[in-house]
Amino acid sequence: MGIVNVTPDSFSDGGLNFAPEAAVASARRMLADGAALVDIGAESTRPGASAVGVDEELRRVVPVLEELVAVPTSIDTSKAEVARRALELGTELVNDVTALRGDPGMVEVVAESGAYLCLMHMRGEPRTMQEEPSYRDVVSEVAAFLEERLAFATAHGVREDRICLDPGFGFGKTVEHNLALLRRLDVLLALGRPVLVGLSRKRSLGRLLGDPEATRGTTAASIGAALAAFERGAAIFRVHDVREHVEALTIAAAIERGGAIDGAP
Ligand code: HH2
């Protein structure tokens, strides 16, 4: 899953894809580089980011999706109205970082459309979520949250086989919390749904590389984290640097599968 943020303020590609033509070109390049779909978002969720209204979010996202009608996309939104419009324009997956808690109308929009859905764990809300997050046991608390959200979604008519789960790296979590969740991805996989991971360029990676003030991680660090997640069973990787991740994961998958790749000596 490639990332295209149609925002002026995202933590890693803010401003780069704010113009619709630039966003469309980035999406097409990511697909050419091997992405299976492109996640279009118009509201930054980086720590401290301020909220965007529904009209502004639609103004940013609609021209991009109109150009990408025949292209597999997901919509990174927590607003039912934005998801509804995106689904009308052909989006296949709703990526809701609030896990259906942000807008009471969201679950119905997803259920009625039959779209895929990503449920992500977040403690608090983006403006304040990094203010001393604390857990008794982060792995079991995140798993219990996702289990409850999965039950909520299916009780409201979303098909279980359409849902994937995401621990929400960096959303109300310290570096240690993120590492614990990555190390014990098996606990989330035990919920029976594919796991999506969003580790790409996250600040925890930069901090692990030794800069306590880092606001983002490098591409190499992102790939290292993605491979560790792959080894633990993650199925979907939300990334900025598509080609590099596709190459690294292709090799990891070939090793996992065993046997020769067609055409390889
Ligand atoms: N991370 C971000 C945004 N959306 N969605 C899911 N499912 N999982 C994630 O980890 C995730 C997400 C934050 O990253 P980014 O989109 O690059 O930045 P911003 O929120 O500043 O636009």
Side-chain angles (χ1 to χ4, degrees):
M1 173 190 274
I3 302 170
V4 173
N5 289 311
V6 193
T7 57
D9 58 345
S10 289
F11 80 96
S12 69
D13 65 347
L16 209 69
N17 291 312
F18 194 38
E21 313 76 55
V24 169
S26 290
R28 293 199 192 285
R29 195 191 60 247
M30 288 178 185
L31 291 161
D33 283 347
L37 83 167
V38 182
D39 193 36
I40 312 288
E43 177 175 34
S44 174
T45 48
R46 73 177 155 59
S50 49
V52 172
V54 65
D55 290 344
E56 176 61 13
E57 206 175 316
L58 283 168
R59 203 183 59 74
R60 293 178 184 182
V61 98
V62 166
V64 177
L65 289 172
E66 279 174 347
E67 286 295 317
L68 294 175
V69 274
V71 162
T73 56
S74 57
I75 181 79
D76 187 348
T77 189
S78 50
K79 296 187 185 71
E81 185 55 26
V82 175
R84 194 185 57 72
R85 191 75 190 100
L87 291 163
E88 281 170 6
L89 290 168
T91 286
E92 295 170 23
L93 184 150
V94 175
N95 175 24
D96 181 2
V97 297
T98 72
L100 307 175
R101 297 172 301 157
D103 185 331
M106 184 65 110
V107 70
E108 197 180 316
V109 168
V110 178
E112 281 180 0
S113 66
Y116 289 94
L117 171 67
C118 178
L119 295 171
M120 194 196 81
H121 175 273
M122 168 165 52
R123 167 69 60 87
E125 37 129 7
R127 214 167 32 79
T128 54
M129 65 191 177
Q130 289 306 94
E131 291 169 7
E132 296 187 30
S134 82
Y135 299 82
R136 193 179 28 79
D137 175 348
V138 67
V139 177
S140 59
E141 286 175 54
V142 168
F145 171 89
L146 291 175
E147 187 171 26
E148 187 277 325
R149 291 287 86 197
L150 182 59
F152 174 87
T154 53
H156 287 80
V158 183
R159 271 174 44 186
E160 186 166 351
D161 66 358
R162 302 258 137 180
I163 301 174
C164 67
L165 305 175
D166 181 346
F169 292 106
F171 286 86
K173 293 161 190 102
T174 62
V175 174
E176 289 71 29
H177 294 142
N178 291 323
L179 290 178
L181 284 163
L182 183 46
R183 204 175 293 122
R184 293 306 312 275
L185 221 50
D186 59 303
V187 177
L188 302 188
L189 280 161
L191 298 174
R193 300 303 314 142
V195 169
L196 182 155
V197 291
L199 290 153
S200 183
R201 299 188 187 168
K202 291 266 162 96
R203 67 165 62 175
S204 282
L205 305 177
R207 296 193 178 182
L208 283 165
L209 291 177
D211 176 1
E213 303 302 320
T215 54
R216 51 180 280 184
T218 61
T219 303
S222 306
I223 293 170
L227 291 176
F230 173 82
E231 289 289 326
R232 289 163 177 77
I236 306 168
F237 303 83
R238 185 179 181 277
V239 305
H240 301 86
D241 305 292
V242 169
R243 179 184 291 272
E244 291 84 349
H245 279 82
V246 166
E247 287 179 358
L249 288 162
T250 300
I251 302 308
I255 294 165
E256 187 78 15
R257 263 198 322 270
I261 302 172
D262 282 351

